[in-house]
Structures are given as structure tokens and as C-alpha cells.
Amino acid sequence: MNWKENVNRFKSIVNPIAPPKIFHWQTLLLMSIVIWGISFTAAEKDLQNSLAVIGLILLTISIGWRTSQPPFILSGVLLAPWITGTLVCLLIFQQTGANGADIAIKSWPFVCGFLIVLFELMKAQFESSSSPQIDRPNLIILLLIHILLTCWLEFYLLVFQWVEANPNLVPKTSQPTQAWVAPDAIKTFADGKLN
Amino acid sequence: MIEIPTVPIILASRTILSRFLRVFVSMTIEARILRDGMYLSPKKSVEYATVINLFAEIFAWFTFFFLESVLPEASNNRLIRYLLLQKVDGVDGTVFIITVWYFLLFLVLKWSGLEIYRLITASQKVQESTSKDPNDHWSYRLKMVIRAHTVSYIVGLVIMILHLTEWN
């Protein structure tokens, strides 16, 4: 009796998360969840970590894929490179540990710039079968701006090190001097002999 | 609550903003000179000026990071004081040599940047250019880059001197 109902209930749960075709971002998302689940069952710690990293990579690719489609395109600008770049840097941070935070921070603009070029190339490859027209000047300028941002972040981190090593670099700030009243004057005022 | 140290952020931001101002001024001046000299459209001239200045700026930063790691401590401290506090310990021969060296370095970088850029966008360029275009000769392009760079560098130096006299 309930067999058919249970099957229908199961279908209603599975259908929204099931990918419509094999070559789809949801396939990668499901694979990442499955691999992440399998990683818990692995006996060895190294194998567990490796499986978790593979799961994270698949999750990053699937999110990058999804965010390259509407509604994640604002006025023709893809948000996917920056979102995916952030996830890639989090992955770098996770792999390098707390000491590698600098690497993750300063590589973020460069990774985003590289992904912008990659997404544009892929878009040109998939969208038109004839000779793909990429706006090369704009791509080059975007890539250069992202590399320059990486240099600026590197400089910020360098200045942090310099200031730590040379505290005399910190400019001296002048504090207003506290009002000082002669003790005799206070005594005179308290005794009511001001005049 | 995380305490963010403000002093390094302020010091670094000041240096980066002054560099940004210099690059922006250079781009504006060079776009105008390249437009007149190379008979380019306003859009194309801004594109050329942007690419060569960004290219040169990035390589200048890489050169700076390299020098910072290899320079002896005394020179390094002088560099740090100049970059962060805009303080120069007297003007001597070294400052003159550094100025000339930077001029030549930026010139080479800008010219290489222009050549690489033209090489990358070559397929699109062929359709636009005519056979008698003077821009097709490397010597003419170098001449234009020298002219644009000289003017923008002099203006940059004047800005830097004004900046230093204000701070010192």
C-alpha cells in the first residue's frame, strides 16, 4: 500500500537535487558531497584529507560553473571569477595553514585575474562555433590591473613587517597636555580665599 | 574583537595612492602624446597608454620587491624612510643616478609593453592598419614612447618634488 507513496515521496525529495543531465554543475555538486561523505569512512588520516580536498575542488568548480550563469551576471559582467577566486584562495589558505594566510591574501587578485581570462576563453569557445572574438585589449587591461592589485597587497604586507621590525617608523603623535593647576591655588580656592 | 593596526595601513595607503596618482597622470599625458604622434583614435591611445603604464608599474614593483630583499640594511632603511615617510637624507649623486636609472628602466618597460601588446593583439591590428602606417616601424614607435615618457616623467618628478617639499 505505502510502497508507491514512499517511492513518490523519495522522488519528490531527489528530483530537485538530481542534475537534469550528466554534464551539469549539479553533477559536480553531488559528486563533491558524495566524496566528502566517503572521506569520513576512510581509515587513514591522509586519505581522509585527500578525499576532502578533492571534494572541495569539485565544490569550487561547481560553484564557479553555477555563478557563470544568470542571475550571477550583472550588466553583462560575470561574477564567477571573483566568487571562484575567493573559494580557490580559501582552499589555498586551508592547505597552507595559518602561516600561509599571506599567500592566500596576496594571490587573490591574481587568481581572479587568471580566472577572468579563463572564463572569457571558455565563453568564446562554447558560445560561438565560428572564430571566437575575444575583446583582447580589455582582457589584458583587466589582467594587468589584477596583477597590480597583487603587488599592492604584497606591499601592504611588507609594510606590516617593516613597522614591526622598526617601531621608530611610526610617526610621533602629540597628545594635548593635561591641564595643570598649582596645588596652592587649589588650597586657596578650597579655603574660600580666592580674592 | 580583532584589533587592526592602523599605522601600517595608513603608511602603505599613502604610498600606494601617490603611486596611483603618478600612474594616472602619466597615462593621461601619454595618451594625448600618443594620439597626436601615432594618429590613433582617442580610445586606442588611452588603451595604449593604460597598457604600457600598467605593464611598467607592475615590473617596477617586482624590481622593488627584488631590490628590497637584496639591498644592504643601510640602503634599505633609506628606501623605507623615503617610501613611507617621504623623507630624503639630502640630495646627492645616488639620488641622481637612481632617477636616471628609473627613467631608463621605465622607458624600456613601456616600449617592451607596447611591443608585447601589439604582438598579442596582432590579428585585430592587421585589419585596422594600412600598409603605409608609420606605426608599423619599431623605430617610430620607440620615438613616440621616448617622447611621451620624457614628458610624463618630468611632470612626475615635479609632482614628487612638490610632494617632498610639502612633507619635509
Side-chain angles (χ1 to χ4, degrees):
Chain A
M1 65 78 194
N2 282 336
W3 170 247
K4 211 170 183 181
E5 268 181 32
N6 284 339
V7 169
N8 286 340
R9 196 176 292 164
F10 179 73
K11 274 184 181 173
S12 68
I13 295 167
V14 169
N15 275 349
I17 54 168
K21 52 186 177 180
I22 292 174
F23 193 63
H24 198 263
W25 65 270
Q26 281 182 337
T27 315
L28 289 175
L29 184 67
L30 278 179
M31 278 169 72
S32 75
I33 294 168
V34 168
I35 290 173
W36 181 65
I38 291 170
S39 73
F40 285 108
T41 60
E44 287 176 33
K45 190 87 179 163
D46 288 344
L47 186 65
Q48 249 184 24
N49 287 340
S50 307
L51 285 172
V53 168
I54 293 168
L56 276 173
I57 292 169
L58 288 174
L59 179 71
T60 307
I61 297 170
S62 75
I63 290 174
W65 194 341
R66 176 66 187 96
T67 50
S68 64
Q69 297 161 1
F72 298 97
I73 301 172
L74 294 180
S75 316
V77 178
L78 277 181
L79 296 182
W82 290 284
I83 297 170
T84 319
T86 310
L87 292 173
V88 169
C89 288
L90 283 175
L91 200 65
I92 293 171
F93 176 60
Q94 191 255 336
Q95 285 301 301
T96 49
N99 296 330
D102 288 5
I103 302 166
I105 291 169
K106 64 190 175 193
S107 62
W108 182 68
F110 181 74
V111 171
C112 292
F114 174 75
L115 286 173
I116 288 170
V117 176
L118 194 73
F119 273 94
E120 283 298 319
L121 289 174
M122 280 165 68
K123 208 170 87 179
Q125 194 74 28
F126 286 115
E127 281 186 0
S128 65
S129 52
S130 59
S131 61
Q133 282 293 314
I134 304 167
D135 191 1
R136 285 184 200 171
N138 278 354
L139 265 189
I140 293 167
I141 291 171
L142 265 176
L143 185 64
L144 289 175
I145 288 172
H146 280 83
I147 298 173
L148 186 62
L149 285 175
T150 301
C151 294
W152 286 355
L153 283 178
E154 168 80 38
F155 182 67
Y156 267 109
L157 297 170
L158 201 64
V159 172
F160 272 91
Q161 287 174 15
W162 285 349
V163 172
E164 262 179 22
N166 310 298
N168 58 337
L169 278 173
V170 180
K172 301 270 183 299
T173 48
S174 56
Q175 298 272 335
T177 48
Q178 201 178 6
W180 184 81
V181 184
D184 288 350
I186 296 170
K187 196 170 178 293
T188 313
F189 182 73
D191 294 346
K193 295 175 195 168
L194 199 60
N195 294 318
Chain B
M1 190 178 153
I2 302 165
E3 196 182 318
I4 300 168
T6 48
V7 173
I9 292 176
I10 292 167
L11 290 175
S13 301
R14 199 171 62 179
T15 310
I16 286 171
L17 280 174
S18 67
R19 286 301 314 169
F20 178 74
L21 174 75
R22 235 181 129 171
V23 172
F24 202 73
V25 169
S26 295
M27 276 197 293
T28 315
I29 294 168
E30 286 175 23
R32 178 70 202 221
I33 294 170
L34 292 178
R35 193 187 80 180
D36 293 345
M38 295 172 86
Y39 311 106
L40 300 168
S41 64
K43 190 190 167 201
K44 203 78 194 162
S45 64
V46 171
E47 212 174 273
Y48 274 25
T50 308
V51 168
I52 63 174
N53 275 288
L54 285 176
F55 188 80
E57 187 67 14
I58 288 166
F59 269 86
W61 275 110
F62 283 143
T63 314
F64 162 71
F65 293 134
F66 170 72
L67 285 178
E68 191 273 333
S69 61
V70 295
L71 274 177
E73 203 181 333
S75 310
N76 219 349
N77 283 343
R78 216 174 150 182
L79 187 71
I80 293 168
R81 273 171 62 79
Y82 164 66
L83 276 175
L84 297 187
L85 306 175
Q86 272 77 41
K87 283 192 174 145
V88 182
D89 306 329
V91 179
D92 54 10
T94 322
V95 175
F96 179 73
I97 291 167
I98 290 171
T99 309
V100 174
W101 186 79
Y102 242 72
F103 173 82
L104 292 174
L105 175 78
F106 267 79
L107 179 65
V108 171
L109 288 173
K110 282 179 183 177
W111 183 57
S112 335
L114 182 65
E115 293 302 309
I116 292 168
Y117 179 69
R118 280 176 61 90
L119 207 70
I120 293 171
T121 55
S123 59
Q124 293 177 344
K125 187 81 191 112
V126 169
Q127 295 163 0
E128 291 169 18
S129 64
T130 56
S131 56
K132 287 184 180 176
D133 193 348
N135 296 335
D136 287 344
H137 300 283
W138 68 268
S139 55
Y140 185 76
R141 293 196 294 269
L142 178 62
K143 199 172 99 181
M144 283 301 118
V145 173
I146 290 173
R147 187 185 291 176
H149 176 58
T150 309
V151 176
S152 70
Y153 198 79
I154 290 168
V155 174
L157 276 181
V158 171
I159 293 173
M160 195 186 76
I161 291 164
L162 288 173
H163 199 114
L164 286 175
T165 44
E166 188 196 337
W167 280 97
N168 288 322

